[in-house]
Each structure stands twice: as C-alpha cells, then as structure tokens.
C-alpha cells in the first residue's frame, strides 16, 4: 500500500520516477493533528503593515502544537529565496507558507548536502529531494530556486491543494514517513511570509 500511495502521489506531482522526498529523520515519532486554532501571531504580523492578509496565509487554522526556531542569516536568505521562487512561479502567499513550512520540517531551512550515515537515502537540499527519485541532480536540488520550483510544480499538480490543511498539501508532494509533522511549522511559516513577501 505504501508503494501504491507513493506512486499515486508522485503521479499527481508529475514526476517520472517512483519515490519521493522523505522527511528528514529529525523527528522519530508520528502524531495525528489536533484541533484547529487561528494563530494570533500571524494575525499580528498581518496587522503590522506587511500588507499580507493572515486569512490568506492560514485559511484553515493551524493543527496541533506549533514549533519555532531562531533563524540565521542563511536561513532567512533561504526564506527570501523560496518567496522569490514562489512569485516567479505565479503562485500566492499560501503556496509560500506551504513551501516554507515544508522546508522547516525537512531541513530547518538549511540547504543540506549529503549527511553521510545520517542521510535518508540520497535526500538533499531544503526540501530533502532525492536525485534517485527524479527530483533533479544534486546541483539542481541544492539550488534554492530550482528546488522550490520543483516543490511548487508538485503542489500545483495536487488537485484542490488550496483547500487542504497545510500538512495534507505538503504530504501530497513529499510522501513523508511522518505526514503530520509539517503542521507544526505553519505559524512560523506564515509569519515569515508576512514579514518578507513585500520586502
């Protein structure tokens, strides 16, 4: 069934080879989402003059407890790169939130190379995409614009992704072993989009 699910999701994403990006091994246990709640912090970011409507950023509320990390300059540059690639792809702020939350889960917004024994197969880059699964070459998937565009192309191919909770939309592209882990980054991703979308 896992193979069937993977092949179905990748068929939707338009990839030609079987397999997908698998979640980074940072979290060992899966958990189900809990009740939805609207984050006050994203609303505050919207009301502070960013010009981005929080209802666009988090239209379905958040699922479960939210996580947060402090970003370095490099991680912030990667956020800006994801936003720039999203705009170039003609997609909206919500797509950027999904992409940034996915990259927060997969790599903590670090453009990771091969991690040796800690690597999940040949997963690399912000989205932990795999060359062996058709995402591109190592050079391509460690390029912020290319890897973001590849993720967004997969997202575009998911029918109704705009109406899905974030974690379901991300999972439809990523085919993670831990599909609910994307949900925990939605608030921070929305705040980052609100902060940087118009900067």
């Amino acid at each position: 069934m896992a193979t069937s699910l993977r092949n179905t999701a990748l068929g939707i994403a338009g990839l030609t080879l079987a397999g997908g990006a698998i979640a980074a091994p940072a979290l060992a246990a899966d958990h189900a989402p809990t009740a939805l709640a609207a984050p006050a912090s994203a609303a505050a970011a919207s009301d502070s003059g960013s010009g981005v409507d929080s209802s666009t950023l988090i239209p379905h509320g958040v699922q479960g407890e939210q996580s947060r990390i402090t970003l370095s300059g490099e991680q912030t540059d990667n956020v800006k790169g994801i936003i720039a690639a999203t705009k170039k792809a003609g997609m909206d702020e919500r797509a950027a939130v999904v992409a940034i939350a996915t990259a927060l889960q997969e790599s903590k917004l670090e453009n990771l190379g091969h991690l040796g024994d800690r690597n999940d197969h040949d997963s690399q880059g912000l989205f932990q995409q795999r060359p062996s699964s058709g995402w591109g070459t190592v050079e391509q998937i460690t390029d912020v614009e290319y890897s973001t565009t590849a993720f967004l192309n997969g997202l575009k191919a998911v029918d109704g992704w705009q109406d899905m909770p974030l974690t379901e939309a991300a999972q439809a592209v990523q085919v993670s072993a831990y599909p609910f882990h994307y949900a925990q980054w939605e608030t921070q991703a929305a705040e980052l989009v609100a902060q940087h979308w118009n900067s």
Side-chain angles (χ1 to χ4, degrees):
M1 176 157 180
T3 301
S4 175
L5 175 62
R6 174 178 291 161
N7 290 340
T8 300
L10 290 172
I12 290 170
L15 299 175
T16 58
L17 299 175
I22 304 298
L27 298 171
D30 197 5
H31 63 279
T34 56
L36 302 177
S41 51
S46 171
D47 295 338
S48 66
S50 70
V52 179
D53 181 2
S54 64
S55 66
T56 300
L57 300 177
I58 306 180
H60 312 294
V62 297
Q63 293 179 301
E65 290 185 27
Q66 296 295 291
S67 296
R68 174 176 303 280
I69 58 171
T70 300
L71 302 187
S72 67
E74 179 182 352
Q75 289 165 307
T76 301
D77 287 344
N78 289 334
V79 166
K80 292 175 181 178
I82 290 170
I83 289 172
T86 303
K87 289 180 175 182
K88 189 172 182 179
M91 296 184 78
D92 64 8
E93 295 95 329
R94 177 61 178 168
V97 171
V98 176
I100 291 169
T102 301
L104 276 162
Q105 170 57 31
E106 297 289 0
S107 67
K108 302 300 181 280
L109 287 166
E110 294 177 3
N111 203 356
L112 299 174
H114 200 284
L115 301 176
D117 291 343
R118 295 182 299 129
N119 226 65
D120 178 15
H121 303 282
D122 55 341
S123 300
Q124 296 185 54
L126 291 172
F127 296 90
Q128 290 293 281
Q129 294 159 331
R130 296 177 58 189
S132 65
S133 295
W135 286 98
T137 66
V138 170
E139 292 76 17
Q140 288 172 323
I141 63 176
T142 53
D143 176 83
V144 175
E145 182 178 341
Y146 178 94
S147 63
T148 303
T149 302
F151 174 82
L152 293 172
N153 285 340
L155 189 62
K156 284 180 189 177
V158 176
D159 187 40
W161 71 266
Q162 300 93 332
D163 301 318
M164 296 177 180
L166 180 145
T167 200
E168 290 179 22
Q171 172 65 2
V173 180
Q174 296 294 96
V175 196
S176 170
Y178 305 105
F180 297 115
H181 286 172
Y182 301 108
Q184 68 187 308
W185 301 105
E186 188 161 8
T187 297
Q188 185 168 18
E191 290 171 354
L192 289 168
V193 172
Q195 181 179 356
H196 298 291
W197 185 262
N198 292 317
S199 63

Coordinates of all heavy atoms in Angstrom, one line a residue, residues 144-194:
V144 N 18.3 26.8 -4.5 CA 17.0 27.2 -3.8 C 15.9 27.5 -4.8 O 14.8 27.0 -4.6 CB 17.3 28.5 -2.9 CG1 15.9 29.0 -2.4 CG2 18.2 28.2 -1.8
E145 N 16.2 28.2 -5.9 CA 15.1 28.5 -6.9 C 14.7 27.2 -7.5 O 13.5 26.9 -7.7 CB 15.6 29.4 -7.9 CG 14.5 29.8 -8.9 CD 14.9 30.8 -10.0 OE1 15.9 31.5 -9.8 OE2 14.2 30.9 -11.0
Y146 N 15.6 26.3 -8.0 CA 15.2 25.1 -8.6 C 14.4 24.2 -7.7 O 13.3 23.7 -8.1 CB 16.5 24.3 -9.1 CG 16.1 23.0 -9.8 CD1 15.9 22.9 -11.2 CD2 15.9 21.9 -9.0 CE1 15.5 21.8 -11.8 CE2 15.5 20.7 -9.6 CZ 15.3 20.6 -11.0 OH 14.9 19.4 -11.6
S147 N 14.9 24.0 -6.5 CA 14.2 23.0 -5.6 C 12.9 23.5 -5.2 O 11.9 22.8 -5.1 CB 15.1 22.7 -4.3 OG 15.3 23.9 -3.6
T148 N 12.7 24.8 -5.0 CA 11.4 25.4 -4.6 C 10.5 25.3 -5.8 O 9.3 24.9 -5.6 CB 11.6 26.9 -4.2 OG1 12.5 27.0 -3.1 CG2 10.2 27.5 -3.9
T149 N 10.9 25.5 -7.0 CA 10.1 25.4 -8.2 C 9.7 24.0 -8.4 O 8.5 23.7 -8.7 CB 10.8 25.9 -9.4 OG1 11.2 27.3 -9.2 CG2 10.0 25.8 -10.7
A150 N 10.6 23.0 -8.1 CA 10.2 21.6 -8.2 C 9.1 21.3 -7.2 O 8.1 20.6 -7.6 CB 11.4 20.7 -8.0
F151 N 9.3 21.8 -6.0 CA 8.2 21.5 -5.0 C 6.9 22.1 -5.4 O 5.8 21.5 -5.3 CB 8.7 22.1 -3.6 CG 7.6 22.0 -2.6 CD1 7.4 20.8 -1.9 CD2 6.7 23.1 -2.3 CE1 6.3 20.7 -1.0 CE2 5.7 23.0 -1.4 CZ 5.5 21.8 -0.7
L152 N 7.0 23.4 -5.9 CA 5.7 24.1 -6.3 C 5.0 23.4 -7.5 O 3.8 23.4 -7.5 CB 6.0 25.6 -6.5 CG 6.5 26.4 -5.3 CD1 6.9 27.8 -5.8 CD2 5.4 26.5 -4.3
N153 N 5.8 22.9 -8.4 CA 5.2 22.2 -9.5 C 4.5 21.0 -9.0 O 3.4 20.7 -9.6 CB 6.3 21.8 -10.5 CG 6.8 23.0 -11.4 OD1 6.1 24.0 -11.5 ND2 8.0 22.8 -12.0
G154 N 5.0 20.3 -8.0 CA 4.3 19.2 -7.4 C 3.1 19.6 -6.8 O 2.0 19.0 -6.9
L155 N 3.1 20.8 -6.1 CA 2.0 21.3 -5.4 C 0.9 21.7 -6.3 O -0.3 21.4 -6.1 CB 2.4 22.5 -4.5 CG 1.3 23.0 -3.5 CD1 1.0 22.0 -2.5 CD2 1.9 24.3 -2.8
K156 N 1.3 22.4 -7.4 CA 0.3 22.8 -8.5 C -0.5 21.6 -9.0 O -1.7 21.7 -9.4 CB 1.0 23.4 -9.6 CG 1.4 24.8 -9.4 CD 2.1 25.3 -10.7 CE 2.8 26.7 -10.5 NZ 3.5 27.1 -11.7
A157 N 0.2 20.4 -9.1 CA -0.4 19.2 -9.6 C -1.4 18.5 -8.7 O -2.0 17.6 -9.1 CB 0.7 18.3 -10.1
V158 N -1.4 19.0 -7.4 CA -2.3 18.3 -6.4 C -3.7 19.0 -6.5 O -3.8 20.2 -6.1 CB -1.7 18.4 -5.0 CG1 -2.7 17.9 -4.0 CG2 -0.4 17.7 -4.9
D159 N -4.6 18.4 -7.0 CA -6.0 18.9 -7.2 C -6.5 19.4 -5.9 O -6.6 18.6 -4.9 CB -6.9 17.9 -7.9 CG -8.2 18.5 -8.2 OD1 -8.3 19.7 -8.7 OD2 -9.2 17.8 -8.0
G160 N -6.9 20.7 -5.8 CA -7.5 21.2 -4.5 C -6.6 21.5 -3.4 O -7.0 21.6 -2.2
W161 N -5.3 21.6 -3.7 CA -4.3 21.8 -2.6 C -4.7 23.0 -1.7 O -4.4 23.1 -0.5 CB -2.9 21.9 -3.1 CG -2.5 23.1 -3.8 CD1 -2.6 23.3 -5.2 CD2 -2.1 24.4 -3.3 NE1 -2.2 24.6 -5.5 CE2 -1.9 25.3 -4.4 CE3 -1.9 24.8 -2.0 CZ2 -1.5 26.6 -4.2 CZ3 -1.5 26.2 -1.8 CH2 -1.3 27.0 -2.9
Q162 N -5.2 24.1 -2.4 CA -5.6 25.3 -1.7 C -6.6 25.1 -0.6 O -6.7 25.8 0.4 CB -6.1 26.4 -2.7 CG -5.1 26.8 -3.7 CD -5.3 25.9 -5.0 OE1 -5.8 24.8 -5.0 NE2 -5.0 26.5 -6.2
D163 N -7.4 24.0 -0.7 CA -8.5 23.7 0.2 C -8.1 22.7 1.3 O -8.9 22.3 2.1 CB -9.7 23.3 -0.5 CG -10.2 24.3 -1.5 OD1 -10.2 25.5 -1.2 OD2 -10.6 23.9 -2.7
M164 N -6.8 22.3 1.2 CA -6.4 21.3 2.2 C -5.7 21.9 3.4 O -5.1 23.0 3.2 CB -5.3 20.4 1.5 CG -5.8 19.5 0.4 SD -4.4 18.6 -0.4 CE -5.3 17.7 -1.7
P165 N -5.7 21.3 4.5 CA -4.8 21.7 5.6 C -3.4 21.6 5.1 O -3.0 20.8 4.2 CB -5.1 20.7 6.7 CG -6.4 20.2 6.4 CD -6.6 20.2 4.9
L166 N -2.5 22.5 5.6 CA -1.1 22.5 5.1 C -0.4 21.2 5.1 O 0.2 20.8 4.1 CB -0.3 23.5 6.0 CG 1.1 23.7 5.6 CD1 1.6 25.1 5.8 CD2 2.0 22.7 6.4
T167 N -0.6 20.4 6.2 CA 0.1 19.2 6.3 C -0.3 18.2 5.2 O 0.5 17.4 4.7 CB 0.0 18.6 7.7 OG1 1.1 17.6 7.9 CG2 -1.3 18.0 8.0
E168 N -1.6 18.2 4.8 CA -2.0 17.3 3.7 C -1.5 17.7 2.4 O -1.1 16.9 1.5 CB -3.5 17.3 3.7 CG -4.2 16.6 4.9 CD -5.7 16.6 4.8 OE1 -6.3 16.8 3.7 OE2 -6.3 16.5 5.9
A169 N -1.4 19.1 2.1 CA -0.9 19.6 0.9 C 0.6 19.2 0.8 O 1.1 18.8 -0.3 CB -1.1 21.1 0.8
A170 N 1.3 19.5 1.8 CA 2.8 19.1 1.8 C 3.0 17.7 1.6 O 3.9 17.2 0.8 CB 3.4 19.6 3.1
Q171 N 2.2 16.8 2.3 CA 2.4 15.4 2.2 C 2.1 14.9 0.8 O 2.7 13.9 0.4 CB 1.5 14.7 3.3 CG 1.4 13.2 3.2 CD 2.8 12.5 3.4 OE1 3.8 13.1 3.7 NE2 2.8 11.2 3.3
A172 N 1.1 15.5 0.2 CA 0.8 15.0 -1.2 C 2.0 15.2 -2.1 O 2.1 14.4 -3.1 CB -0.4 15.8 -1.7
V173 N 2.9 16.1 -1.9 CA 4.1 16.3 -2.7 C 5.2 15.5 -2.1 O 5.9 14.8 -2.9 CB 4.5 17.8 -2.7 CG1 5.7 18.0 -3.6 CG2 3.3 18.6 -3.3
Q174 N 5.4 15.5 -0.8 CA 6.6 15.0 -0.2 C 6.6 13.5 0.0 O 7.6 12.8 0.1 CB 6.9 15.7 1.1 CG 7.2 17.2 1.0 CD 8.5 17.4 0.3 OE1 8.5 17.7 -0.9 NE2 9.6 17.4 1.0
V175 N 5.4 12.9 0.2 CA 5.3 11.5 0.6 C 6.2 11.1 1.7 O 7.0 10.2 1.6 CB 5.5 10.6 -0.7 CG1 5.0 9.2 -0.5 CG2 4.9 11.2 -1.9
S176 N 6.0 11.8 2.8 CA 6.8 11.6 4.0 C 6.4 10.4 4.8 O 5.2 10.1 4.9 CB 6.8 12.9 4.9 OG 7.3 12.7 6.1
A177 N 7.4 9.8 5.5 CA 7.0 8.8 6.5 C 6.3 9.4 7.7 O 5.7 8.6 8.5 CB 8.3 8.1 6.9
Y178 N 6.4 10.7 7.9 CA 5.8 11.4 9.0 C 4.9 12.5 8.5 O 5.2 13.7 8.6 CB 6.9 11.9 10.0 CG 7.9 10.9 10.4 CD1 9.1 10.8 9.9 CD2 7.5 9.9 11.4 CE1 10.0 9.8 10.3 CE2 8.4 8.9 11.8 CZ 9.6 8.9 11.2 OH 10.5 7.9 11.6
P179 N 3.8 12.2 8.0 CA 3.0 13.2 7.2 C 2.4 14.3 8.1 O 2.1 15.4 7.5 CB 1.8 12.3 6.6 CG 1.7 11.1 7.5 CD 3.1 10.9 7.9
F180 N 2.3 14.1 9.4 CA 1.7 15.2 10.2 C 2.7 16.2 10.8 O 2.3 17.2 11.4 CB 0.8 14.6 11.4 CG -0.3 13.8 10.9 CD1 -0.4 12.4 11.1 CD2 -1.3 14.4 10.1 CE1 -1.4 11.6 10.6 CE2 -2.4 13.6 9.7 CZ -2.4 12.2 9.9
H181 N 4.0 16.0 10.5 CA 5.0 16.8 11.1 C 5.1 18.2 10.4 O 5.6 19.1 11.0 CB 6.3 16.1 11.1 CG 6.5 15.0 12.1 ND1 7.5 14.2 12.2 CD2 5.6 14.7 13.1 CE1 7.4 13.3 13.2 NE2 6.2 13.6 13.7
Y182 N 4.5 18.3 9.2 CA 4.6 19.6 8.6 C 3.7 20.6 9.3 O 4.0 21.8 9.3 CB 4.1 19.5 7.1 CG 4.9 18.5 6.3 CD1 4.4 17.3 5.9 CD2 6.2 18.9 6.0 CE1 5.2 16.4 5.2 CE2 7.0 18.0 5.2 CZ 6.5 16.8 4.8 OH 7.3 15.9 4.1
A183 N 2.6 20.2 9.9 CA 1.7 21.1 10.6 C 2.3 22.0 11.6 O 1.8 23.1 11.8 CB 0.5 20.2 11.2
Q184 N 3.3 21.5 12.3 CA 3.8 22.2 13.5 C 4.5 23.5 13.0 O 4.8 24.4 13.9 CB 4.8 21.4 14.2 CG 6.1 21.0 13.5 CD 6.9 20.0 14.2 OE1 7.3 20.2 15.3 NE2 7.3 19.0 13.5
W185 N 4.8 23.7 11.8 CA 5.6 24.9 11.3 C 4.7 25.9 10.6 O 5.2 26.9 10.1 CB 6.7 24.4 10.3 CG 7.6 23.4 10.9 CD1 7.7 22.1 10.7 CD2 8.6 23.7 11.9 NE1 8.7 21.5 11.5 CE2 9.3 22.5 12.2 CE3 9.0 24.9 12.5 CZ2 10.3 22.4 13.2 CZ3 10.1 24.8 13.5 CH2 10.7 23.6 13.8
E186 N 3.4 25.8 10.6 CA 2.6 26.7 9.9 C 2.6 28.1 10.4 O 2.6 29.0 9.6 CB 1.1 26.1 9.9 CG 0.2 26.9 8.9 CD -1.0 26.1 8.5 OE1 -1.3 25.1 9.1 OE2 -1.8 26.6 7.7
T187 N 2.6 28.3 11.7 CA 2.6 29.6 12.3 C 3.8 30.4 11.9 O 3.8 31.5 11.4 CB 2.4 29.6 13.8 OG1 1.1 29.0 14.1 CG2 2.5 31.0 14.4
Q188 N 5.0 29.7 12.1 CA 6.2 30.4 11.8 C 6.4 30.7 10.3 O 6.8 31.7 9.9 CB 7.5 29.6 12.3 CG 8.7 30.4 12.1 CD 10.0 29.9 12.8 OE1 10.0 28.7 13.2 NE2 11.0 30.7 12.9
A189 N 5.9 29.7 9.5 CA 6.0 29.9 8.1 C 5.1 31.1 7.7 O 5.5 32.0 6.8 CB 5.5 28.7 7.3
A190 N 3.9 31.2 8.2 CA 3.0 32.4 7.9 C 3.7 33.7 8.4 O 3.6 34.7 7.6 CB 1.7 32.2 8.6
E191 N 4.3 33.7 9.5 CA 4.9 34.9 10.0 C 6.1 35.3 9.1 O 6.2 36.5 8.8 CB 5.5 34.7 11.4 CG 4.4 34.6 12.4 CD 4.9 34.2 13.8 OE1 6.1 33.9 13.9 OE2 4.1 34.1 14.8
L192 N 6.8 34.3 8.6 CA 7.9 34.7 7.7 C 7.4 35.2 6.4 O 8.0 36.1 5.8 CB 8.8 33.4 7.5 CG 9.6 33.0 8.7 CD1 10.2 31.6 8.5 CD2 10.7 34.0 9.0
V193 N 6.4 34.6 5.8 CA 5.8 35.1 4.6 C 5.3 36.6 4.8 O 5.5 37.4 4.0 CB 4.7 34.2 4.0 CG1 4.0 34.8 2.9 CG2 5.3 32.9 3.6
A194 N 4.6 36.8 5.9 CA 4.1 38.1 6.2 C 5.2 39.1 6.3 O 5.1 40.3 5.8 CB 3.3 38.1 7.5

